[in-house]
Amino acid sequence: MLTERHLEIFVALAEEEHFGAAAQRVGITQPPLSQGLRRLEALLGVRLFERERGVFLTEEGALLLPHARRALAALAELRETGAREHADGRRLRLGLAPEVPAPLAADVAAAPVRAGDRARISTVTAPTATLLSDVASGRLDFAVVRHPAVLHGLAAGQVILLPTWILAPARPSATAPRGLPVAVRPRGEAPAAHDLFVDTLASRGRRVETVVVTDERAGLALVAAGQAVLVTADEALTASRVERRPATDPPLPLRLRVVWNPRRSGSGDPAGTARLLEDVLAARKAAR
């Protein structure tokens, strides 16, 4: 098997052109160095040095030397990166559904650090279905996802209901416009939550039509153009000629839940961290 020591012997001998000096450079005696070189040549299937009058690289050795140097540099960089990661401490990888308003998402991500956790926080925003997959595979430690969702063995905290608003084209009256579709994200991003939302809209006997948008900014553009209405938990999302009213008839709360994989929790207290994240979400609910 080709090892880092083989590469060190090769590079040292190529640069020193002397067995004794090369052995001293890599911290071994000359016999193990010669043995290591013979093993390397056998592994590569080529002769690396001419040894009849001094020690000189063969044509094949000269071609392979830059590759050996790059491999050693890559290994050194790998060790340095690992050392930095160890020195920096634990990393906490958090996923957030795009429906979580930006200020709230920031507070959720900052909660562990503000509570004294020295972990380095990294965050991603992705649809609920993607977040669930990433938590299950270990790419994420925690995620705030839309509820309901099929968890497939993931652990989950309590369901947090955030208030929402209906954004509609401005009209002379305060009543919601009739006949406009509701802007929604693709069903595949959170199938169960999407279906619950649509079913709730239809629960009052209303005919429900939807139009798919990539995100809430695209939905807001349709509202401003008078072509759709939008339900959002973002209290700052607005535009000119757009009116806002609480989504209370029927109630259309944004249902969120913190999930994690109990089989990949590692050290620490994942349930405690989840409760910490939930507390931030619940505080937003209580403040409304």
Side-chain angles (χ1 to χ4, degrees), residues 1-10 71-73 75-76 79:
M1 179 177 65
L2 182 65
T3 67
E4 183 178 5
R5 176 60 85 186
H6 290 135
L7 298 177
E8 289 175 342
I9 289 172
F10 175 37
L72 287 174
L75 289 169
R79 282 194 296 271

Side-chain angles (χ1 to χ4, degrees), residues 206-285:
R206 300 169 179 169
R207 181 181 178 185
V208 179
E209 293 184 1
T210 60
V211 57
V212 175
V213 293
T214 55
D215 52 37
E216 289 192 340
R217 293 178 60 181
L220 179 63
L222 289 184
V223 175
Q227 297 177 10
V229 297
L230 175 69
V231 178
T232 179
D234 188 346
E235 59 186 1
L237 188 67
T238 189
S240 60
R241 299 183 181 275
V242 170
E243 63 180 21
R244 169 190 295 267
R245 66 180 178 86
T248 56
D249 183 25
L252 296 167
L254 174 61
R255 295 172 169 86
L256 298 175
R257 206 172 190 187
V258 179
V259 299
W260 68 97
N261 190 340
R263 297 180 297 278
R264 295 179 176 268
S265 58
S267 60
D269 179 18
T273 302
R275 286 192 297 271
L276 184 65
L277 304 180
E278 289 172 359
D279 287 344
V280 177
L281 296 171
R284 162 67 181 269
K285 171 187 174 183

